[in-house]
Amino acid sequence: QVQLVESGGGVVQPGGSLRLSCAASGFTFLSYGMHWVRQAPGKGLEWVAYIRNDENIIWYVDSVKGRFTISRDTSKNTLSLQMNSLRLEDTAVYYCARDLTHFGAFDTWGPGTMVTVSS
Amino acid sequence: EIVLTQSPGTLSMSLGERATLSCRASQSVSTTYLAWYQQKPGQAPRLLIYGASSRATGIPDRFSGSGSGTDFTLTISRLEPEDFAVYYCQQYGSSPPYTFGQGTKLEIK
């Protein structure tokens, strides 16, 4: 079945870096755009980044531009998020999600990985 | 930026009742690009409705979506125990391209 599994979360100091990964299975990864969405503790959902299936379109929410980089490795069916210059406000559960083509929605989600930025 | 405002913040309902959740946008949203999600504690969100009114795969027909322009509604016709959760609306459009409402918590009365 369609499955997404995130990894790479942990505790990092402000200004530090972390790289998240999302392993995709059960579908043709190269055919789908992919997203990262985060949720701060006790808060709502915030979209973070998007990469189209052909990698020709990449978008970020303003608050992470210049600090986060989304990428994908089709040979490994893996989505990544490189997070640099981390801030306290980046503390959240990070979900990878598959794009529902033509509808701008997220049709499959991973269970999430927790990122804690703390001194 | 298109801001989505959901109401009420919390909705207290009984089993078997009909629940109506509202999502209002600060600017017009294409019906193609309006979605609803359900999230239970400790779990990832689940897509319920896309295109404002189309049910996602495996979603029971007691869930329905409607609306256009700036006003959208998620209706749950007869509440089951598993329906008590937080619900989010989401739009795709102007920068940032994807935004969520703040959520409505549906709790059992």
Side-chain angles (χ1 to χ4, degrees):
Chain A
Q1 75 279 22
V2 176
Q3 192 171 17
L4 300 170
V5 179
E6 304 90 343
S7 61
V11 180
V12 61
Q13 291 187 335
S17 298
L18 213 55
R19 186 177 182 88
L20 306 183
S21 295
C22 171
S25 60
F27 65 100
T28 304
F29 183 66
L30 58 83
S31 295
Y32 288 85
M34 297 294 297
H35 302 267
W36 288 99
V37 178
R38 66 184 178 184
Q39 186 170 36
K43 303 298 184 182
L45 301 166
E46 180 185 37
W47 169 81
V48 174
Y50 165 74
I51 184 168
R52 201 167 73 174
N53 64 320
D54 59 9
E55 304 182 50
N56 285 337
I57 290 179
I58 290 176
W59 293 326
Y60 299 97
V61 69
D62 283 350
S63 59
V64 308
K65 283 180 182 176
R67 300 189 299 122
F68 289 12
T69 302
I70 188 172
S71 62
R72 61 193 296 158
D73 184 337
T74 301
S75 68
K76 296 180 180 178
N77 285 357
T78 299
L79 176 72
S80 296
L81 186 68
Q82 177 66 42
M83 304 186 296
N84 299 330
S85 303
L86 283 160
R87 303 168 180 170
L88 297 176
E89 56 266 33
D90 295 319
T91 294
V93 175
Y94 284 74
Y95 298 101
C96 68
R98 191 177 76 169
D99 185 69
L100 180 60
T101 309
H102 306 309
F103 290 97
F106 315 103
D107 71 348
T108 303
W109 298 64
T113 188
M114 183 71 203
V115 172
T116 302
V117 183
S118 174
S119 54
Chain B
E1 175 181 349
I2 295 179
V3 176
L4 300 178
T5 301
Q6 293 185 240
S7 61
T10 302
L11 186 58
S12 298
M13 306 286 293
S14 299
L15 293 174
E17 287 190 311
R18 179 186 186 92
T20 302
L21 286 67
S22 173
C23 176
R24 178 161 291 177
S26 59
Q27 303 172 45
S28 184
V29 174
S30 167
T31 55
T32 302
Y33 301 133
L34 194 288
W36 290 91
Y37 302 84
Q38 176 193 68
Q39 187 178 33
K40 297 179 180 179
Q43 296 184 18
R46 177 174 71 147
L47 178 65
L48 297 175
I49 300 288
Y50 65 93
S53 60
S54 296
R55 275 186 301 277
T57 303
I59 302 303
D61 60 7
R62 64 180 182 274
F63 290 91
S64 63
S66 62
S68 63
T70 60
D71 289 295
F72 297 89
T73 300
L74 175 70
T75 302
I76 311 171
S77 59
R78 296 170 308 278
L79 286 167
E80 300 281 345
E82 61 268 27
D83 298 336
F84 293 92
V86 178
Y87 292 84
Y88 295 94
C89 58
Q90 172 256 321
Q91 68 85 33
Y92 164 65
S94 62
S95 183
Y98 306 90
T99 56
F100 291 89
Q102 83 281 14
T104 289
K105 181 179 181 180
L106 178 57
E107 64 177 25
I108 193 163
K109 186 186 289 185

